[in-house]
Amino acid sequence: MFAAASGGQYLGKPIGIADVVRGRCCWSVKTVKQKQPHSVQSVRLISGRNSPIYSSGISDPLSDVRLTGQSVLDIYNNRVNKAKRDHEDMRLVVFVRNMVSQEFTLFERPIYPLVVNRYRWEVNSRGNLIGFDDDTQVFTWQPHGSQFTIHEPIPHGAIRFRIAHEPEVIQMNKVLLDVGFKPDWVEIL
């Protein structure tokens, strides 16, 4: 839907940064379910599987959490840098939604490489690595699945909206009539 709305092309690739491209611009498009999309302060964005065991040869990721955390960020930065070769402008667009209440929050920001040695790393009670910028948690990395999650703050200028009127569902007979359907379009074998 974002590709159609932006005039871009959906790439449909599960790896990498670019989900939608238009010219020399690309977007990483994320949707997040949230009970209260208008008041939530941050969301967790899955940013892929980053395996320092595979990519950096780290056999015990919990033995040196600083080194493992830096490796996880290096893997992310390699994806960003690879996308940067083909796209001058790289953007993250996040759509926070509650389909029941029809409330939504939308924001966009530039994508940039992360400063690898800026963050402090710890192991939480679940055995995951968590990265901090000062006292704010900004990353989670799960050793058992190598899933890397960015804790993204929602900016004050995010667009918050609610669908006040839901259009009625179009009946199948109307759709068939509108497209000029004829029974001979289907051949039963």
Side-chain angles (χ1 to χ4, degrees), residues 128-148:
N128 299 326
L129 262 65
I130 50 177
F132 292 87
D133 186 6
D134 292 324
D135 290 328
T136 304
Q137 184 178 348
V138 290
F139 308 116
T140 301
W141 180 74
Q142 300 170 335
H144 50 277
S146 298
Q147 183 170 285
F148 176 54

Side-chain angles (χ1 to χ4, degrees), residues 3-106:
S6 66
Q9 175 190 4
Y10 174 60
L11 297 180
K13 296 179 184 176
I15 348 180
I17 296 294
D19 295 316
V20 174
V21 298
R22 189 177 96 200
R24 300 274 298 150
C25 180
C26 74
W27 290 269
S28 176
V29 181
K30 305 290 186 185
T31 61
V32 180
K33 292 179 185 178
Q34 184 59 242
K35 288 183 180 180
Q36 299 178 334
H38 293 170
S39 60
V40 66
Q41 299 294 310
S42 69
V43 290
R44 292 175 50 132
L45 305 177
I46 296 172
S47 188
R49 302 222 179 265
N50 296 12
S51 176
I53 297 165
Y54 173 77
S55 298
S56 304
I58 295 175
S59 59
D60 182 1
L62 300 181
S63 66
D64 184 344
V65 295
R66 184 177 155 276
L67 180 65
T68 301
Q70 289 177 342
S71 176
V72 167
L73 298 185
D74 278 336
I75 296 165
Y76 173 83
N77 283 346
N78 285 335
R79 290 182 184 136
V80 170
N81 292 332
K82 183 178 178 185
K84 187 80 169 158
R85 283 184 239 145
D86 296 325
H87 309 287
E88 291 173 10
D89 191 15
M90 298 187 317
R91 313 287 300 169
L92 169 70
V93 64
V94 179
F95 188 59
V96 186
R97 60 189 170 87
N98 181 328
M99 299 303 287
V100 174
S101 67
Q102 295 288 287
E103 293 177 323
F104 308 92
T105 296
L106 177 71

